[in-house]
Every structure is written in structure tokens, then in C-alpha cells.
């Protein structure tokens, strides 16, 4: 719906870039990406939600192609202080991942049910831990060379191993959350 031709062209180029990331090997090769398409998408979404979508940057092509592409292809994953931001990001992840054809909504929502919501509701962990578990599972899928998917990674992953990884990551990223701090134990009277 953009009226300005230059802006429409820039937006179309961004759309082409995002939709081309469906092929993970072409996305990662030559761009120095050390994370896969799911982590990259999650990182972009977490920044969008954290910034309230107000700092959208559209490259007009004025910069050199390599630096422009490198800027678009790099991101980090933001950690939230508010669980509502986490849930909003999950909603956007479902929307974008299915809209650009990375996976089906059924497989992704089943994955989220087990990884995020069962972790909070049934296992009693805080939402921050569920976030870290989600990120660990995304990276397992990306690092598997195609053998793990949203559909099979739950059954083909050792729950204790991924939960240990999520705990260590949580300790690093959520130092102010009591759940991740080491307990000093109770002082025993002599």
C-alpha cells in the first residue's frame, strides 16, 4: 500500500530477503551468519517488540550492497522483563514463520505448547526459563542439519540436556530473577 515508489521498492527488497531465508543453507552461506533462520527471525522479532515497532529502518540501497546486507542479516536476541512482551513475540514468530513458509502453524504451535506452555503450566518453571528453553530448542533444530524439525525435535531431544542448557542460559541472561540464582542453603544450628 506504500505510495512512494522508492519506499515500495525498498520494502519489496526486504520482503524478498526475508522470504529467501526459507533455504537455510543459502541464507547462512557467504553472510557470516552463525545462527540459523529461526534464531535470526526470533532476534528480529524480539527487537521489534522491545522497540515497540517504532524504530523500523528501511535500507534504500544507497549504502554498499555488502554492508547493507550484513546489517540486515545480523541480530541478537533480546531478553524481556515483561512476560507480555515474550508472548507477543511468540505470536509474531508464529505469524512470520508460517507466512513466509518456514513451517506449518500446526507443527509450530504444537512445538510451542510443549516447549513454552507445558514448561510453565505443568513443570512449574517461570516464563524466563521457558524463553531460554525455546531458544535452545530453536538452535538444536538449526544445528541438526535438517534432521530435527518442529515436529520431531521434542521426541528426539533429551529433556534433561536441553533443560540444563536452558538453565545455564537463564543464569547468564536473567541474573536478577531469583529462580536462576544459586541458593546459599539453610544455615544449620550447631
Amino acid at each position: 500500500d506504500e505510495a512512494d515508489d522508492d519506499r515500495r521498492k525498498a520494502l519489496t527488497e526486504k520482503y524478498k530477503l526475508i522470504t529467501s531465508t526459507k533455504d537455510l543453507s543459502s541464507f547462512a552461506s557467504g553472510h557470516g551468519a552463525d545462527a540459523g533462520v529461526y534464531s535470526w527471525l526470533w532476534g528480529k522479532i524480539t527487537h521489534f517488540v522491545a522497540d515497540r515497532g517504532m524504530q523500523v529502518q528501511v535500507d534504500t540501497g544507497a549504502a554498499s550492497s555488502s554492508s547493507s546486507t550484513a546489517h540486515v542479516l545480523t541480530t541478537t536476541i533480546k531478553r524481556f522483563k515483561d512476560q507480555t512482551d515474550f508472548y507477543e513475540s511468540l505470536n509474531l514468530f508464529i505469524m512470520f514463520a508460517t507466512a513466509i513458509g518456514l513451517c506449518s502453524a500446526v507443527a509450530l504451535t504444537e512445538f510451542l505448547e510443549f516447549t513454552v506452555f507445558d514448561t510453565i503450566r505443568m513443570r512449574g518453571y517461570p516464563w524466563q526459563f521457558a524463553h531460554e528453553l525455546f531458544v535452545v530448542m530453536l538452535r538444536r533444530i538449526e544445528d541438526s542439519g535438517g534432521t530435527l524439525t518442529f515436529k520431531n525435535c521434542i521426541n528426539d531431544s533429551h529433556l534433561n540436556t536441553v533443560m540444563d542448557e536452558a538453565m545455564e542460559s537463564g543464569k547468564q541472561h536473567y541474573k536478577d530473577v531469583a529462580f536462576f540464582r544459586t541458593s546459599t542453603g539453610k544455615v544449620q544450628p550447631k
Side-chain angles (χ1 to χ4, degrees):
D1 292 340
E2 179 60 52
D4 182 79
D5 288 336
D6 290 335
R7 288 187 54 114
R8 184 181 314 127
K9 182 179 177 186
L11 289 169
T12 302
E13 290 302 313
K14 284 249 184 182
Y15 175 77
K16 287 178 184 176
L17 172 70
I18 291 172
T19 57
S20 71
T21 61
K22 290 189 289 188
D23 179 15
L24 183 58
S25 60
S26 69
F27 172 72
S29 65
H31 298 296
D34 62 350
V37 66
Y38 300 121
S39 295
W40 177 82
L41 180 60
W42 182 247
K44 288 293 187 183
I45 289 169
T46 60
H47 280 270
F48 177 81
V49 170
D51 296 339
R52 300 293 181 247
M54 300 307 293
Q55 298 177 4
V56 177
Q57 174 183 346
V58 178
D59 295 329
T60 61
S64 73
S65 176
S66 63
S67 67
S68 172
T69 303
H71 175 71
V72 171
L73 294 177
T74 59
T75 192
T76 55
I77 294 173
K78 294 264 268 187
R79 275 31 186 217
F80 301 113
K81 294 183 186 214
D82 180 11
Q83 66 183 345
T84 306
D85 291 342
F86 172 51
Y87 297 136
E88 180 182 0
S89 295
L90 288 175
N91 185 54
L92 291 172
F93 187 78
I94 294 167
M95 183 179 72
F96 283 115
T98 58
I100 62 177
L102 292 175
C103 61
S104 75
V106 172
L108 182 53
T109 54
E110 181 180 19
F111 170 81
L112 291 175
E113 184 66 29
F114 182 82
T115 307
V116 174
F117 299 108
D118 282 356
T119 298
I120 296 167
R121 185 182 322 110
M122 296 177 64
R123 293 182 192 95
Y125 289 97
W127 67 268
Q128 295 94 333
F129 180 82
H131 176 262
E132 295 308 310
L133 184 60
F134 171 72
V135 171
V136 167
M137 294 298 277
L138 287 182
R139 291 194 175 138
R140 283 184 157 270
I141 292 169
E142 294 165 342
D143 293 344
S144 73
T147 58
L148 292 178
T149 65
F150 286 116
K151 192 73 178 153
N152 70 6
C153 73
I154 301 303
N155 294 329
D156 293 349
S157 296
H158 297 286
L159 188 59
N160 287 344
T161 302
V162 292
M163 292 188 82
D164 288 346
E165 288 179 47
M167 182 63 77
E168 290 305 311
S169 183
K171 287 177 184 177
Q172 195 173 48
H173 296 289
Y174 291 103
K175 293 177 180 168
D176 60 332
V177 176
F179 175 80
F180 294 109
R181 290 194 294 253
T182 307
S183 173
T184 57
K186 294 182 178 181
V187 178
Q188 297 294 323
K190 290 187 177 185

